[in-house]
Amino acid sequence: MTIALNVNGKSHDIDADPSTPLLYVLRNDLALHGPKFGCGLGQCGACTVHVDGRAMFSCLLPIAAIGSRKITTTEGLLENGKPNKLQQAFIDEQAAQCGYCISGMVMRAEALLRVNPHPTDAEIRQHMQPNLCRCGTHAAIMRAVKRAAA
């Protein structure tokens, strides 16, 4: 079955089973490797992408459930091929240790800053809670989000 997806502003016709998780299509069919396969259970957030601006776990989302909604990955956040303000803040704060979770962290933080450009520490902690960093760089991630919000 062919399913049309709008990813990072471009339309793609995907020939796949409708139950295929969005993560697999992004990585395997569209070669977008920002979203990572972490747990495959929606428990770690490494696969986080935006669907119409909302942070969602792409490992749990079947492509048939997307419809005409727009998908954005970390690649879609680039501005003229360069990191956007938030991505640059993650770089400047050296928020990545192993880096595996960072794409999902950036996507979750971007979703927060779009609706709340100046969040409190408590709001950042609450919003970022679904995403895990097993390396323990949460303090650097907090600094990066606050830096981008400044």
Side-chain angles (χ1 to χ4, degrees), residues 9-145:
K10 295 180 182 172
S11 294
H12 302 273
D13 290 326
I14 304 298
D15 186 21
D17 185 295
S19 65
T20 304
L22 174 60
L23 175 64
Y24 296 174
V25 169
L26 294 173
R27 292 186 59 83
N28 301 337
D29 295 297
L30 302 180
L32 295 168
H33 297 144
K36 305 284 190 283
F37 183 90
C39 65
L41 301 169
Q43 296 177 349
C44 73
C47 66
T48 302
V49 299
H50 290 176
V51 178
D52 273 354
R54 293 186 57 209
M56 301 187 79
F57 297 141
S58 63
C59 72
L60 297 179
L61 188 60
I63 57 173
I66 296 170
S68 61
R69 295 182 292 171
K70 296 178 180 174
I71 301 156
T72 306
T73 67
T74 50
E75 293 90 343
L77 297 181
L78 296 173
E79 296 175 352
N80 298 320
K82 296 183 178 177
N84 73 4
K85 183 178 180 181
L86 177 62
Q87 292 169 316
Q88 189 60 53
F90 270 72
I91 294 167
D92 294 343
E93 293 294 339
Q94 299 180 6
Q97 188 166 344
C98 83
Y100 205 79
C101 71
I102 293 301
S103 172
M105 292 286 186
V106 167
M107 296 308 291
R108 182 145 316 263
E110 182 79 20
L112 170 64
L113 295 177
R114 284 189 179 174
V115 297
N116 183 358
H118 303 290
T120 64
D121 287 1
E123 289 169 330
I124 295 169
R125 275 191 211 95
Q126 182 178 9
H127 187 82
M128 299 300 289
Q129 196 170 17
N131 289 53
L132 301 176
C133 173
R134 299 187 197 289
C135 300
T137 61
H138 292 98
I141 291 168
M142 281 287 295
R143 287 194 312 269
V145 176

